[in-house]
Amino acid sequence: MILEKMIDDKTIKDLYKSALNVRENAYVPYSNFKVGAAVLTETGEIFCGCNVENASFGLTICAERNSIFSAVAHGYKSFKALLVVADSKEPVKPCGACRQVMAEFGDFDVFLANLKGNIEKTKVSELLPYAFGSNDLMKE
Ligand code: THU
């Protein structure tokens, strides 16, 4: 039997605080919509990312992807959870590109949050069912 370890409230709070902190650094001159994300590795490290926009709008990168890319750049590829926060009415939902990047690294928990402290729990496979993955690159 595989026993899945639940993420405790203190860890969720730590992720929320980390994401709130990094959100302050968001570079958003065009949308004015600041987003922060924090990803928790299997070994307990937290890596953060904020959205960084560009005058060439399509080059904008989201907070979630920046947090994951930062973790990977530091040598971590196994994740337990990611939390994303923005000033949205409902807990903010990751865009499709970020869902695809999450799916590359497994089916971990994803916490969606807003500044009011509403936090919703989901997971990668719920956000992106039937995902394209490395198996789809296999030929016969
Ligand atoms: N954005 C994120 O960083 N993450 C999300 O989950 C949704 C959207 C950013 C991209 C852009 O800088 C701004 O929010 C408005 O779309």
Side-chain angles (χ1 to χ4, degrees):
M1 185 170 65
I2 300 169
L3 277 179
E4 215 185 300
K5 261 218 202 130
M6 293 273 284
I7 296 182
D8 58 65
D9 287 352
K10 151 111 178 45
T11 307
I12 297 171
K13 221 174 188 179
D14 287 347
L15 283 173
Y16 185 67
K17 274 196 220 153
S18 301
L20 276 183
N21 266 337
V22 73
R23 181 180 168 274
E24 290 305 316
N25 299 329
Y27 176 73
V28 291
Y30 306 105
S31 74
N32 201 32
F33 187 70
K34 291 181 171 189
V35 187
V39 66
L40 176 71
T41 69
E42 280 292 355
T43 43
E45 294 81 5
I46 291 179
F47 290 92
C48 299
C50 58
N51 50 336
V52 180
E53 299 185 344
N54 192 277
S56 176
F57 300 157
L59 298 184
T60 290
I61 181 144
C62 297
E64 298 92 316
R65 269 176 289 158
N66 266 339
S67 67
I68 290 174
F69 293 161
S70 173
V72 173
H74 286 87
Y76 298 89
K77 290 186 285 275
S78 299
F79 306 128
K80 243 189 222 166
L82 181 148
L83 184 145
V84 57
V85 65
D87 188 8
S88 46
K89 190 165 172 258
E90 302 295 329
V92 67
K93 287 171 274 307
C95 78
C98 288
R99 294 175 194 212
Q100 178 66 30
V101 168
M102 289 176 200
E104 181 70 24
F105 297 102
D107 189 14
F108 47 87
D109 289 337
V110 181
F111 294 91
L112 316 177
N114 62 15
L115 295 191
K116 292 184 280 188
N118 299 132
I119 302 179
E120 205 177 290
K121 183 183 175 183
T122 179
K123 58 182 181 174
V124 175
S125 60
E126 235 166 53
L127 289 169
L128 189 65
Y130 216 57
F132 176 79
S134 56
N135 280 345
D136 296 299
L137 293 172
M138 303 286 180
K139 291 180 187 152
E140 203 45 61

